[in-house]
Amino acid sequence: MSTLPLAEGKRGERYALPAIGLHWVIAVLIIGMLFLGYYMVGIPKGTPDRALYFNLHKSFGVLAGVLILMRLGWRLTHAAPPMPNGMPHWSTRAARWSHRLQYLCMVLQPATGYLSSSFNKYGVKFFGFALPNWAWEDRQLRDLFMGFHQIIAVVFAALIALHVLAAFKHLLVDRDRVFSRMLP
Ligand code: HEM
Ligand code: HEM
């Protein structure tokens, strides 16, 4: 058993269906959001396309944030299956830390985007519906949170790349149960 909140359950179990469903829906959203984010910042300022893509990014980002909070809530109350027997200690530790860091990025990425956009006169619209605007126009705070948003995006993309490589190593090289327990 881990002493940290992201605990592990009984050996041989697989992830529960809600954890699996949320993992894959959120994975698609986050990877899509990374591509959308880097694409949209290259669109010339003042064009309708830029506003359209920015609003899409904010809407899907808020949606991802809500699903991520649900996933974190589920995960903090449900143990994950422990790694298969015989897996090297370093590999188990690396997986555990990579998962923790990914949860941290999953929370911070939408939070910093939302905070940055809140300190902006445009505010945040969720698929056309303006969300309550509790903040004020503040360029310094907007740039500060956007700076974090940009740095976390790079760290997150690197973690995801490592995670996907590790998942395929388990599937193709180690041929253990690690990949299949994240499948329904
Ligand atoms: C899963 C969640 C999210 C991911 C993966 C993500 C990713 C990104 C990326 C990769 C960029 C480009 C960064 C750069 O220029 O270096 C970006 C920019 C941006 N994001 Fe997000 N984002 C997410 C959520 C959000 C949310 C929830 C909001 C606001 C409600 C938001 C607002 C913005 C804005 C306004 C920019 C452009 C800033 C600018 O350069 O003018 N993002 N995002
Ligand atoms: C944005 C993309 C992704 C994020 C943020 C992410 C995050 C995570 C996290 C945090 C876990 C640990 C689950 C837990 O213990 O609660 C996990 C497990 C897993 N992920 Fe991902 N994932 C992403 C994409 C992918 C992709 C594309 C694949 C496969 C190609 C994948 C394969 C797996 C597998 C096989 C597990 C189970 C590993 C284990 O049991 O230790 N993930 N993922």
Side-chain angles (χ1 to χ4, degrees):
M1 266 291 185
S2 163
T3 49
L4 283 159
L6 296 180
E8 287 183 357
K10 286 192 221 108
R11 205 164 286 280
E13 282 174 350
R14 52 170 48 242
Y15 281 96
L17 265 185
I20 296 175
L22 284 168
H23 171 271
W24 291 110
V25 172
I26 291 169
V28 169
L29 274 175
I30 290 175
I31 294 170
M33 287 291 290
L34 285 169
F35 279 102
L36 180 56
Y38 286 123
Y39 170 73
M40 71 181 193
V41 290
I43 302 174
K45 286 196 173 149
T47 58
D49 262 10
R50 188 170 163 102
L52 175 79
Y53 283 107
F54 267 54
N55 280 325
L56 263 185
H57 182 85
K58 292 181 193 177
S59 302
F60 278 109
V62 170
L63 178 65
V66 172
L67 293 175
I68 285 163
L69 288 182
M70 285 168 61
R71 180 172 179 202
L72 190 62
W74 174 274
R75 184 62 180 84
L76 289 172
T77 48
H78 296 77
M83 296 298 171
N85 275 326
M87 208 169 122
H89 185 59
W90 68 264
S91 171
T92 312
R93 276 179 71 92
R96 212 175 273 156
W97 277 104
S98 136
H99 293 165
R100 283 176 191 149
L101 286 175
Q102 283 180 90
Y103 274 115
L104 188 67
C105 288
M106 275 192 268
V107 171
L108 291 182
Q109 188 67 4
T112 51
Y114 174 76
L115 283 169
S116 170
S117 298
S118 297
F119 289 104
N120 183 327
K121 63 175 183 239
Y122 301 116
V124 180
K125 288 200 197 95
F126 184 67
F127 296 106
F129 294 99
L131 297 183
N133 205 358
W134 51 271
W136 54 97
E137 168 112 57
D138 189 324
R139 205 196 161 97
Q140 274 185 328
L141 282 176
R142 188 184 9 170
D143 290 349
L144 177 76
F145 288 119
M146 190 39 66
F148 287 132
H149 196 64
Q150 289 169 339
I151 294 167
I152 296 163
V154 177
V155 175
F156 204 3
L159 277 172
I160 293 167
L162 265 177
H163 178 68
V164 172
L165 281 176
F168 280 107
K169 180 182 172 284
H170 282 288
L171 181 69
L172 303 172
V173 181
D174 303 337
R175 293 167 188 256
D176 55 25
R177 300 184 54 251
V178 169
F179 201 110
S180 63
R181 65 212 195 125
M182 197 36 113
L183 296 177

